[in-house]
Amino acid sequence: MVPAPPTLSRRRLLGGLGSLCAAAGTVAVGLTKPAVLPDVLTDEATKHYPTPPEVSAHWQPTVTESHAQAVIDLLAETVEEGKQLWSQLDTNRPFTGAGGWLEDARQAFRDGDTNEALSDATYGLQFAAADLGKARAELGNADLQALATQAIALRDRSRKVASDITPYLVDDPGTDLAWYLRIEQEAMIGKHLATWDGMESAAESIENNNGGTSTSHDYGDLVADVLVAQVHVRAAERFRDLLAEARSESATSHTEQLQTAANQFRTRLEGAPTAEEIQSRYGVNDPESVGPYEVAHIDLARWCFPSGVPTPWTIDVEEGLLVSTAVGLSKGVARIRAHEFAVDHLVVEQGDEGFDSGHALAEKRRARRVHEQVIGSDPPPLLTRQAARAIEDLQVAVVGFADSYEQPMWRERLDAYLYALLGRAKLKQYPAVYRTVVGEE
């Protein structure tokens, strides 16, 4: 009589899992073919397998203490005024202020992490400013004219920053272009937040509702938008000034190369199919039944190609912002190329009814190796910004990410696999488009 195999306790199972995902865990994964280990083990292993760090771990623009402190002070002042006005309202809703973000920002500042302090203070400002605006409106103190004047001034300052950074003088394109990208992004966000469209809506609401609930809500959102826009535009100005101070007299213009790169990418993207056309190519745009094969091709097409509605390849593309445009278009090219690679390497076949998470674990191992080759320990800052979404793909390539499970379970396992596969595929494409932007080809 053959004895039954011993039952694995949860403690022993997780102990074996820890060994599987140890620092040298590539040995265990590399020698184990998918489907050999049970899904319950490989599901859990995807959560513990090493993932790449955030791109900010490699490089961030310098946030001075005075920069971070100014935003913390703005948040503190906003919270204090909002608290005072809120106490005058006839409401049972407590004043929540910044929701704890002011304390987080102050702690980060004390710890010397000015980038985190700035991020926390900016995030908290949107909540505190919205409540401040609501309180002002409900007390009859809404001043759209003053708000509009601030917004127009911010848009003008945003445009000036974009004008000031031309002709994109660089000493080291791989680093300096990352600075320019951040400057453009801050200016762009500030300009988009300081919009007149919302103010027109709020003005009509004030006129029609005489200070009702919807009016106060609309006005609160406008106050938040304008105050947060102020933070972003000021950040763009500070980063512009820091880069100008660090630039040498021998710096050269990169404008022509940026235009050349953008034109090359546009040419590559011309005539690119839509996601719907790609799905039709693989016969999954209107399938009779949806299994792993159909889901894989639908998701890959949706993640790599635009929808049928004419839209930019990324929201980063905006005329006049040359670095953002070149980088945004480079991401579109990388996604097209990555789709071809991902489809060629899919382990899903038509007619499959389930999916083994061992494939996801094996793909995470391959993706990690590519990440080490492409990004490494000291990558050019611009490259990390181009590859940011690919790195995020590897970070979320987990069965049960954030303890959320899609049903049936094969879909959850397939998602983890597809994220890892597409992250690897995109990482392989970014060195080439990076070289085009910086002019190394």
Side-chain angles (χ1 to χ4, degrees), residues 20-27 29 48-53 360-376 390-391 394-395 397 419-421 423-425 427:
L20 179 67
C21 296
T26 53
V27 175
V29 179
H48 299 277
Y49 194 80
T51 56
L361 187 58
E363 188 55 53
K364 284 174 70 87
R365 174 184 63 82
R366 290 188 286 267
R368 185 187 183 203
R369 185 167 63 245
V370 172
H371 177 271
E372 291 171 348
Q373 294 168 348
V374 172
I375 303 298
I391 294 172
L394 303 188
Q395 293 170 338
Y419 277 122
L421 173 62
R424 174 167 73 105
L427 280 172

Side-chain angles (χ1 to χ4, degrees), residues 275 279 295-306 313 331 335-336 339 389 393 414-423 426:
Q279 291 167 5
V295 169
H297 282 288
I298 289 172
D299 284 351
L300 287 176
R302 183 166 52 89
W303 295 343
C304 296
F305 291 87
W313 276 87
K331 293 177 183 178
R335 287 199 297 271
I336 285 181
H339 180 268
R389 184 52 192 267
D393 289 342
L414 178 62
D415 277 352
Y417 165 75
L418 291 176
Y419 277 122
L421 173 62
L422 189 57
K426 286 189 286 191

Side-chain angles (χ1 to χ4, degrees), residues 392-409:
E392 289 178 7
D393 289 342
L394 303 188
Q395 293 170 338
V396 301
V398 171
V399 177
F401 180 74
D403 292 326
S404 175
Y405 292 86
E406 187 177 2
Q407 296 298 329
M409 275 299 293

Side-chain angles (χ1 to χ4, degrees), residues 233-249:
V233 172
R234 186 64 186 115
E237 293 169 339
R238 286 178 178 268
F239 293 148
R240 172 203 61 193
D241 295 343
L242 285 174
L243 180 58
E245 292 171 5
R247 194 165 50 230
S248 74
E249 294 182 359

